[in-house]
Amino acid sequence: MLTIQNLHAKIEDKEILKGLTLNIKAGEVHAIMGPNGSGKSTLAKVLTGDDNYEVTKGTATFEGKDLLSLEPEERALEGFFMAFQYPVEIPGVNNASFLRMAANARRKHAGLEELDPLEFNDLLQEKIRFLDMNPDFADRNVNFGFSGGEKKRNEILQMAVLNPKLALLDETDSGLDIDALRIVANGVNKLRRDNNAIILITHYQRLLNYIVPDIVHIMHDGRIVKSGPKELALELEERGYELLQNVGA
Amino acid sequence: MSSTQALQDFAAREYKFGFRSDIETESFAKGLSEEVIRKISEAKDEPPFMLEFRLKAYRHWLTMEEPHWSETPYAPIDYQDVIYYSAPKAAKKKLASLDDVDPELRKTFEKLGVPLIEQKRLAGVAVDAVFDSVSVATTYKEKLKKEGVIFCSISEAMQEYPELVQKYLGSVVPYTDNFFATLNSAVFTDGSFVFIPKGVRCPMELSTYFRINTENTGQFERTLIVAEDNSYVSYLEGCTAPKFDSNQLHAAVVELVALENAEIKYSTVQNWFAGDPETGKGGIFNFVTKRGKCLGKKSKISWTQVETGSAITWKYPSCLLLGDESVGEFYSVALTANRQQADTGTKMIHVGKNTKSTIVAKGISAGQSNNNYRGLVSIMKSASGARNFTQCDSMLIGDKCNANTFPLIDVQHPNAQVEHEASTSKISDDQLFYCRSRGISTEDAMGAIINGFCKDVFRELPTEFAVEATKLLGIKLENSVG
């Protein structure tokens, strides 16, 4: 589904990604862990199309398409989704309108009829129930005045509505208390299917107790330096990033 | 394309109404004198009191100086270089029915989205169409007449209802009021007249559409709306003009009178040509005096304006709250892009007891434009229990524009309650990127954000025009769920 080869990227003049390679298939959940500054969030931003970052080398192919040549909105329309580490507030625009615009843009792209506000509201309320959220999420302005936990839950709601092929969750667990973490993880688990894939970027193993990954990658200095089964995360938790010493990073 | 560039492009979208119709007109030579004023009055076959009103105003105007206190610099206007009267030839004769409207004129208004046929798109709206200096057609006149509502051009009103015109004309904006209003009093050529008799709720929206077509023509229209006791009317004006390199002067006067328990809702969607986006050349000088008088107890006047056009907009739709418990409202969206300038706001003058006023002003500036809110809330000694709420929000797009707020509050009564809130915001690149990452185009994202910013004002517009206004800002209507 997603193939990244030897990806290099920089912001201003600082090279952050230094030859990252990653391969993700449908039905898989991958976790990417690594110390601060290893380039995890940069990877998320580059894949989303943030033009503050410049790709200097390498490729990323998503469903056969050259992901890096697409505009951010085109990537979304092709089925790529990123749950932001810091979701942005948009005062004056309510969640329902925002999500309807997004959902209809995708439907239009796929050659489907756009949904009118009433039809869309049915879909939205169904997802809200599915994720055990408060129905008033629909009427509130996008992330405006939300608590940290609410913002993260709102990202998962968006993911549920947009039903992406590939979702990347950038430190969705950071700043969440244990109850909020459970709710968010629960939401993500409900969205796992055979035909989609999820990338979790996280610092902590605790998220992986709730969302169990198929493969864990450890990132260091702009590259993936070690990959392995879910136990790798536990090992990392135990030994810290000294583990990396062994891989010669 | 960077999102900042996209923002600028969005704000600088092209003017769609810049075409010019090829219609034979009869125009006076340029210039202003007592003789020109006599000729205007004669051309319109006016009663003698009107000529007197005009001449008094003209003589007073000669003693006045053009004001320059607003934050909108402009080159001096040569008042002798303006054509004060221009009318389509075909409009001279009286029309037996709407079918007799000159097809070219009809086409012009069709192109502007204002069909002069009853039952068309604006089926629930009666329209008075003003082309250059004269009203060319008014729809639904007969239907309204049955309800006792008078809706016609002010020229026609002077002949058919001279006593009403004489009683109210200049009663809200006296001919001595200010430089541009005084000029208007001397030379105004047409406009709309509305009279709603006691106890009548006007069954449809009334609307006037102003079109300036001839180059170098000043448009000086005069609108007078009188709502008698316990009546209601909702009125809308729209305006466009072709693109010319020279500036054109639009100095209108609007007077509203609300008697006991009457309500007048006055909405404006202004889209005059704003001048060349690059050089700022041309465009309309929109120097307008709009004022309403809440004369009766519990009367209410509500101004809603969406100002998107003109090179310079300089106007302050105001309410004189004389009747006890009367209510004044002002809802405004002013969008300036490129090199546009706007200095707009309102005056709420509280004279009666327990009078209330609400001001919601939203300014959006983009490009190198300049957008000012200027307002006065005045609570007189007599206005015990008066209350005002003011909210002024500015949104900046890009980093070359300007937004200023000049609120003036003058409170003479100790128990008055006055609130003022203000905010400034920017559409950030982060917001746009967030929207785009969800598959929403930059344009749609901006539309939604701007629409959200203006929501409190659009809500006040009649439905038909809310749609038009949002379109005008390049906005896709946000859905109404929730």
Side-chain angles (χ1 to χ4, degrees), chain A residues 101-119:
Chain A
M101 277 168 65
N104 276 341
R106 248 198 106 185
R107 291 182 68 90
K108 207 171 153 189
H109 183 74
L112 298 170
E113 283 276 302
E114 296 184 34
L115 296 176
D116 70 32
L118 289 175
E119 290 166 334

Side-chain angles (χ1 to χ4, degrees), chain B residues 50-69:
Chain B
M50 270 315 306
L51 178 61
E52 222 170 286
F53 179 86
R54 287 175 184 283
L55 289 174
K56 269 197 298 193
Y58 178 64
R59 286 167 195 150
H60 186 73
W61 183 72
L62 289 174
T63 69
M64 299 171 98
E65 277 192 31
E66 193 178 297
H68 283 281
W69 48 263

Side-chain angles (χ1 to χ4, degrees), chain B residues 120-296:
Chain B
K120 265 281 177 85
R121 180 177 73 92
L122 298 173
V125 184
V127 178
D128 183 24
V130 177
F131 190 90
D132 284 347
S133 305
V134 296
S135 162
V136 293
T138 311
T139 62
Y140 292 108
K141 242 188 336 207
E142 289 311 309
K143 187 178 169 191
L144 289 165
K145 218 180 216 170
K146 275 187 204 136
E147 308 274 343
V149 172
I150 302 170
F151 179 43
C152 62
S153 72
I154 197 144
S155 313
E156 193 179 330
M158 278 182 238
Q159 295 178 9
E160 307 280 327
Y161 317 99
E163 61 298 334
L164 283 175
V165 175
Q166 195 167 10
K167 183 171 174 189
Y168 290 107
L169 189 79
S171 73
V172 185
V173 179
Y175 72 84
T176 51
D177 196 81
N178 69 70
F179 186 83
F180 295 107
T182 301
L183 176 63
N184 173 288
S185 300
V187 302
F188 75 87
T189 45
D190 222 331
S192 300
F193 175 72
V194 176
F195 178 81
I196 316 289
K198 269 183 194 164
V200 171
R201 201 183 155 84
C202 186
M204 52 173 51
E205 307 275 348
L206 306 183
S207 139
T208 301
Y209 197 92
F210 296 101
R211 174 78 178 168
I212 299 180
N213 192 58
T214 309
E215 190 162 9
N216 294 322
T217 303
Q219 193 171 48
F220 303 94
E221 86 266 359
R222 186 106 190 175
T223 298
L224 175 59
I225 299 178
V226 180
E228 284 201 322
D229 299 356
N230 302 311
S231 67
Y232 167 86
V233 63
S234 169
Y235 178 92
L236 183 125
E237 61 168 31
C239 7
T240 57
K243 292 180 185 177
F244 291 123
D245 284 344
S246 53
N247 295 109
Q248 283 165 287
L249 179 62
H250 174 250
V253 172
V254 176
E255 297 179 279
L256 313 181
V257 182
L259 302 180
E260 199 169 314
N261 207 28
E263 179 178 350
I264 302 174
K265 223 175 133 56
Y266 192 105
S267 315
T268 305
V269 176
Q270 185 263 109
N271 188 22
W272 295 119
F273 178 50
D276 185 272
E278 299 293 319
T279 61
K281 225 173 153 195
I284 303 283
F285 289 166
N286 190 32
F287 298 165
V288 172
T289 305
K290 288 179 167 175
R291 196 175 300 152
K293 210 179 201 175
C294 283
L295 207 51

